[in-house]
Amino acid sequence: MNDSIRQRRLDATPRGVGVMCDFLVEQAENATLIDTQGREYIDFAAGIAVLNTGHRHPKVIAAVQQQLTRFTHTAFQVIPYENYISLAERLNELAPIAGKAKTTFFTTGAEAVENAVKIARAATGRPGVITFTGAFHGRTMMTMALTGKVAPYKTGFGPFPGSVYHARYPNELHGVSVEDALKSLDDIFHCDIAPQEVAAILFEPIQGEGGFNVAPPEFVSALRRLCDEHGILLVADEIQTGFARTGKVFASEYYPDAKPDLLTMAKSLGGGFPISGVIGRAEVMDAPDPGGLGGTYAGNPIAVAAAHAVLDIIEEEQLCQRADRLGAALSEALIGTRHPAIAQVRGRGSMIAVEFNHPATGAPDSAFARDIQQRALAQNLILLTCGVHGNVIRFLYPLTIPDEQFSRSLNILTSILKA
């Protein structure tokens, strides 16, 4: 980015919008970005997990172009359209929800989470919501309250809405067992809010911003039992885990005996177009009165058309299977470097992350993670960090990335680590 453009950005936009890359994008195709200087980059960020089907997938573009010739907006609550209904039908069939399901659409992930809370409160008549340390659920006031990471998301923005409580999320590497996590829930029930006042327990099957921590099956099963015992709704936040990233359409499929009552989705559902939603048990979804759910752009017809194409691509190109294959190759390559700073390689499918600690002290090493990120960017490979301590690198390449480009990316990554 030249000095003139950089200064224009600083003059026109607030400093609160943090920007990682010092260049401007000009063109993108699948897993390749081209900047305004003609330099090519391999995109392992994918718009923060939005592009499981890659930049500008031809089927997504064709679906959007076709919709543009018909109509672009009516507001579904005013004048409905068939492709919204058929997308809901498709997702109701795919989602791991027990019994009959219903789906409603919104625009952003934060909207989906907020509406899941609204639905849960309407269905139970209770105020409380429990979520977990390390969680990320959005940037609105309610979703900031739900988020379990302070900097940079919550700093200076409080006070936040009440009746929100944080339990510990299991993290073996950091000494938090499943038993510890469940005890923290029990502590909340005894010290903060009675279980009979809790509407929902909200969790990520794999934490996103928290560091790609995978929920152990015994933990999710225990959550399901607790919810059943106390009449609490179990809500799975699948905004980052959804749509083949983990090797399943939804990560909740890994927990067949602990199906959620509500499931939130966004990001890769739209293939680059803004759409989100909530899927849930029909009787729960029907709790809010007519007019209680919606939004001006909720379920925008252009984004809905893109989402139909995304579901087609996942099936036709076998992206769940591809996610497993690419993720296994990535994990093997990272572990194979035997770098002493690698504390853990973890994830499911292609939702893979590597955590770095100081070899001598075992303390989280965020500086090392940033150094790897910057060295990769210098070789035109775009990576993202995450984790409560910022010492984790997450890999969010499009699942459609060509094999040759993926292999080249692994060579860049492993050569940096070995150096």
Side-chain angles (χ1 to χ4, degrees):
M1 192 184 300
N2 64 40
D3 290 341
S4 173
I5 294 291
R6 185 182 298 105
Q7 191 58 51
R8 284 172 56 197
R9 178 178 71 79
L10 294 173
D11 289 344
T13 65
R15 69 188 186 98
V17 181
V19 175
M20 186 181 89
C21 292
D22 193 29
F23 59 84
L24 299 174
V25 63
E26 179 72 19
Q27 185 76 25
E29 194 80 24
N30 202 353
T32 301
L33 283 169
I34 302 173
D35 72 7
T36 50
Q37 304 302 310
R39 293 180 295 242
E40 289 193 4
Y41 295 84
I42 303 172
D43 187 4
F44 268 41
I48 316 179
V50 167
L51 299 164
N52 290 355
T53 54
H55 291 275
R56 299 178 63 250
H57 192 290
K59 288 183 181 295
V60 172
I61 298 302
V64 167
Q65 288 174 333
Q66 184 181 35
Q67 182 60 44
L68 284 170
T69 66
R70 299 174 64 223
F71 59 92
T72 61
H73 179 73
T74 65
F76 184 80
Q77 310 94 283
V78 179
I79 305 170
Y81 29 94
E82 190 277 337
N83 68 343
Y84 180 116
I85 298 167
S86 58
L87 182 60
E89 290 170 336
R90 294 181 74 177
L91 289 164
N92 291 340
E93 289 294 319
L94 286 170
I97 300 289
K100 178 177 170 58
K102 291 191 175 184
T103 294
T104 183
F105 296 109
F106 304 100
T107 309
T108 67
E111 274 186 280
V113 173
E114 292 238 358
N115 279 277
V117 171
K118 287 166 56 179
I119 293 165
R121 286 175 167 170
T124 62
R126 304 171 177 185
V129 181
I130 296 174
T131 183
F132 293 91
T133 54
F136 178 81
H137 296 294
R139 294 175 181 267
T140 58
M141 294 305 287
M142 183 66 198
T143 55
M144 279 193 292
L146 297 167
T147 289
K149 181 179 178 180
V150 173
Y153 306 112
K154 302 170 77 164
T155 304
F157 296 134
F160 303 110
S163 296
V164 174
Y165 307 89
H166 290 89
R168 302 179 77 186
Y169 192 94
N171 188 323
E172 184 181 2
L173 183 65
H174 291 274
V176 182
S177 67
V178 170
E179 291 74 18
D180 294 331
L182 294 176
K183 184 181 183 303
S184 72
L185 274 166
D186 190 59
D187 289 343
I188 288 171
F189 290 154
H190 281 89
C191 302
D192 297 310
I193 186 171
Q196 294 77 18
E197 292 297 313
V198 176
I201 295 177
L202 171 65
F203 82 107
E204 297 163 277
I206 302 176
Q207 289 192 322
E209 178 64 22
F212 284 23
N213 302 303
V214 180
E218 62 270 28
F219 174 66
V220 182
S221 295
L223 292 183
R224 180 70 271 173
R225 288 194 300 271
L226 269 176
C227 288
D228 291 341
E229 179 184 353
H230 298 294
I232 300 168
L233 297 177
L234 185 61
V235 184
D237 183 338
E238 293 247 24
I239 287 166
Q240 192 160 161
T241 55
F243 304 101
R245 172 57 55 184
T246 68
K248 305 282 188 186
V249 176
F250 294 107
S252 293
E253 295 174 54
Y254 285 105
Y255 312 102
D257 298 326
K259 293 178 179 178
D261 300 296
L262 295 168
L263 183 154
T264 62
M265 57 190 172
K267 289 193 180 285
S268 277
L269 171 60
F273 291 84
I275 184 171
S276 67
V278 181
I279 312 172
R281 292 194 289 115
E283 64 271 23
V284 175
M285 295 293 289
D286 281 339
D289 292 331
L293 303 176
T296 301
Y297 292 102
N300 172 270
I302 296 170
V304 167
H308 274 289
V310 165
L311 295 183
D312 291 341
I313 294 162
I314 289 171
E315 182 178 0
E316 293 166 6
E317 300 187 18
Q318 299 184 316
L319 293 191
C320 289
Q321 296 89 326
R322 186 166 173 75
D324 283 337
R325 180 168 67 82
L326 296 180
L330 171 60
S331 297
E332 183 180 353
L334 290 167
I335 294 167
T337 65
R338 301 183 183 277
H339 197 287
I342 293 179
Q344 192 176 60
V345 176
R346 57 177 177 263
R348 290 189 186 273
S350 278
M351 193 165 177
I352 300 295
V354 56
E355 180 162 353
F356 297 105
N357 288 347
H358 287 283
T361 66
D365 196 345
S366 59
F368 188 85
R370 287 194 303 272
D371 184 55
I372 296 297
Q373 181 189 39
Q374 290 304 310
R375 288 172 183 266
L377 187 59
Q379 297 190 49
N380 296 7
L381 175 62
I382 301 169
L383 301 176
L384 295 178
T385 59
C386 64
V388 173
H389 303 287
N391 64 320
V392 180
I393 289 179
R394 53 180 157 171
F395 302 93
L396 292 167
Y397 45 82
L399 302 176
T400 50
I401 185 172
D403 286 344
E404 181 278 329
Q405 192 177 33
F406 185 73
S407 296
R408 183 155 36 99
S409 305
L410 296 192
N411 288 337
I412 293 170
L413 185 62
T414 54
S415 67
I416 292 169
L417 284 167
K418 287 176 180 177

